[in-house]
Amino acid sequence: MAAERAPMRKIRDVLRLKLGQGVSDRQIAIAVGMARSTVADCLGRARVAGIGWPIPEGIDDAELERRLFPAHANMSPGRIVPDWSRVHQELQRRSMTLQLLWEEYRALEPEGYGYSQFCGLYGAWRQTVSATMRQTHGAGEKLFVDFAGDTVGVIDPTTGEISQAHIFVAVLGASNYTYAEARWSEALPDWIGAHVNAFAAIGGVAHAIVCDNLKAGVTAVCRYEPGINRTYQDLATHYDTAILPARPYKPRDKAKVEVAVLIVQRYVLARLRNQLFFGLVELNAAIRAVVADLNARVMRKIGSSRNELLASIDRPALKALPVEPYTYAVWKLCRLGLDYHVEIDQHYYSAPYRLVRERVEARLTDMTVEIFHRGARVASHVRSAVKRRHTTTPEHMPSAHRRYADWTPQRIMTEAAVIGPAMIALIEAILKAKPHPEQGFRAAKGILQLAKSYGIPRLEAAAERGNDIGAVTYGSIKSILQNGLDKAYLRADHSAQAAQPAAADAAPIQHSNIRGRGYYH
C-alpha cells in the first residue's frame, strides 16, 4: 500500500501505536494492515513535519494530510520552487544535508517554503525519479561492477567460428557514469583486467567497489563475512579501495549496477546487434563509442549528463590512481621443501633455508615470482619457463653446507645404502648433476620413498637399469617400476643385499657416478 494513499485514520493509528505506545514497526504493520515500508514512510514524514503524539486537536485529517503529503508548487501559489535536480545533485556530496540546502534556499528566498515543506516537496519529487536515481550515494563513494547477462558474438576471421564475448559493466554511484568492456570470459584474469581498465577510464578510484557474489571475486558467500579472492583483494590494496560484496538475497545492494547493465543491454548492445565483429578490439571500439554517447546524454529528470556529473561531483572526490596500474598476479599457498625451494609450474624457486618446511605464499605474475612468509616478502625471482630446473639465490643457501633438521647428503646416502649399491650410484648421480647437492634432495627423497610401494628389491633393480640407460630422475625410475622394466634386473640375492646395510669396513663401491663420502666433509 503506498503511503500517499493510506487513509488518515490508519496513519493516526500508526502514530498512536509508535509514538504513544512504542510498538515495533513490524507489529504496527500487522495491526493496521500496512507494509512495513509504508509504516516507516509515515513515521518519517511525521518526524520531518514535526508532528508527535498526541496530535493537537486543531489538526484535522485535511490539515494532517497537507502537512504529511505536501503537494507540488500549486500548494502555495507565488512561492519559488527550488531546483530539485540541483538539490539532488548537491546531496551526493559528502556531508551535505537537506537542512543546509534549505538554509541556502531561504537565504535567497526569504518567503520560500519552510523546512518541513521543503523536505516534503523534495521527497515528492524523488518519487518521480527512477528507483536507482533516488538512491543517494556519496561522491566518489562506490563503484558498482558486474557482468551483463547478454553476450556478443565475435567471428574468427580464419575459421568462421563464433565465440561469445562477455560484457563487463561498472557504474559510479553518485554520477551514474558508466563504463563497459567486452571480455572473453568471466574468469579471474578478465575480471581483474576489466577493473584496471575501468579505473583508468574513470580517471580515479572509488572508496569502495560493490560487486555481486561472482566466483571470480568472492570465494565464500556469506552475509556477514564474505571471503574475497586473494588476487581481488590484492587489486584493492594496490588501488587503496575496499571490496564490498552484495549481501545474498539483497538485490537493492546492487540495484545501481543492475540498472546500468539493463541500460547497457538496451542502449549499447541493442545498437550493435546488426554489426559483425571479427575481434575483441573491434568490438570494444564500437562499445566505447556508444558508451561515450550514453555518458554525454542529458538525463531528463536530473538535467545533466553523466559526464557533467562525473566532472562536478564524483571525480573531485575520487582517490588518485597509483603511479603504475595493477599487474595481474595469482597467489599460491606452498610449503618450502627440504631443498628450501618451492615448485611453481614444474620450476623450483629458492627461499631462505631457515624456512624449510614452513608454509609460504607465492605471488605469481607473468614476469616474477615473489615468496611471502607471514606477510613479509622473503624472496623474489624472475619467472622461468624451463621445466625441472632450479632458480637459486646464493644468500638463501645454508652456510658451510649446514642442513635443516638433519637432512644432509650423508643421511640421504645412508638411506640409499639400505637399498643397495645401484641406488647409491643413482643418488650420487642426482646430487652430482645439481650445482648444489641440496637441490637434488627432493628427487632423491621421492625415489627412496618408492620402496614403500614397490619394495626394496624392485627399487634396487630399477636403479640399476636407470644407471645403465642414464635415466637418473624420479620420473624415470617411477616409470621403470610402473611398466615392470626392472624385472629383467632382479636377482635372487637382491633382497638379502638390500636388507642389510653396507658394513663400515666393506670395500668401497666403484662406480663412475660415485664421488665418495669425503666429498661432503
Side-chain angles (χ1 to χ4, degrees), residues 3 37 52 59 66 78-79 102 145 162 207 298 324 335 375 434 498:
S37 59
I59 299 178
R66 187 188 68 80
R79 291 186 179 180
W102 172 75
V145 295
I162 299 178
H207 294 257
V298 174
E324 296 292 335
R335 189 181 292 277
K434 304 296 182 182

Side-chain angles (χ1 to χ4, degrees), residues 216-446:
V218 181
T219 57
V221 178
C222 175
R223 178 175 181 177
Y224 304 104
E225 293 183 353
I228 308 299
N229 180 282
R230 181 61 190 272
T231 299
Y232 199 18
Q233 187 61 60
D234 197 29
L235 172 133
T237 301
H238 182 83
Y239 285 100
D240 190 24
T241 186
I243 308 296
L244 302 177
R247 295 170 295 174
Y249 311 111
K250 294 292 182 179
R252 290 190 63 182
D253 286 2
K254 53 179 180 174
K256 177 74 70 173
V257 74
E258 287 188 343
V259 172
V261 164
L262 187 62
I263 291 173
V264 167
Q265 291 178 166
R266 291 178 175 176
Y267 188 89
V268 179
L269 302 186
R271 282 166 171 74
L272 303 177
R273 69 188 185 281
N274 294 323
Q275 297 185 36
L276 299 179
F277 300 100
F278 296 91
L280 208 59
V281 174
E282 181 183 346
L283 172 58
N284 274 321
I287 290 175
R288 279 195 299 271
V290 182
V291 170
D293 180 60
L294 170 68
N295 287 324
R297 290 182 61 200
V298 174
M299 293 178 282
R300 183 171 57 86
K301 285 292 182 180
I302 301 299
S304 301
S305 69
R306 291 171 171 83
N307 284 335
E308 293 170 337
L309 295 178
L310 171 67
S312 63
I313 297 177
D314 264 327
R315 186 162 285 156
L318 293 173
K319 295 184 177 182
L321 289 169
V323 177
E324 296 292 335
Y326 176 74
T327 300
Y328 176 75
V330 174
W331 289 82
K332 180 180 180 182
L333 187 63
C334 312
R335 189 181 292 277
L336 207 63
L338 296 172
D339 56 355
Y340 56 88
H341 285 69
V342 294
E343 181 182 358
I344 306 294
D345 292 336
Q346 300 183 44
H347 190 92
Y348 302 96
Y349 300 89
S350 69
Y353 74 94
R354 59 183 172 80
L355 300 177
V356 167
R357 289 199 179 98
E358 290 284 336
R359 283 193 175 274
V360 295
E361 291 180 301
R363 183 178 184 270
L364 317 175
T365 69
D366 290 338
M367 302 299 295
T368 63
V369 172
E370 297 174 287
I371 301 174
F372 293 80
H373 180 252
R374 295 181 179 177
R377 189 175 72 173
V378 295
S380 180
H381 302 279
V382 175
R383 193 162 185 175
S384 173
V386 181
K387 306 294 184 183
R388 302 299 177 189
R389 292 292 185 270
H390 291 71
T391 295
T392 306
T393 299
E395 289 76 13
H396 295 163
M397 298 171 57
S399 60
H401 292 285
R402 291 197 304 270
R403 302 296 179 263
Y404 186 87
D406 296 330
W407 275 98
T408 64
Q410 295 93 323
R411 175 175 174 178
I412 291 179
M413 295 305 300
T414 300
E415 293 197 9
V418 174
I419 306 300
M423 181 57 68
I424 294 175
L426 178 70
I427 298 301
E428 282 278 9
I430 291 173
L431 300 183
K432 183 179 178 181
K434 304 296 182 182
H436 307 285
E438 58 271 10
Q439 292 180 346
F441 284 4
R442 190 187 301 264
K445 189 170 183 292

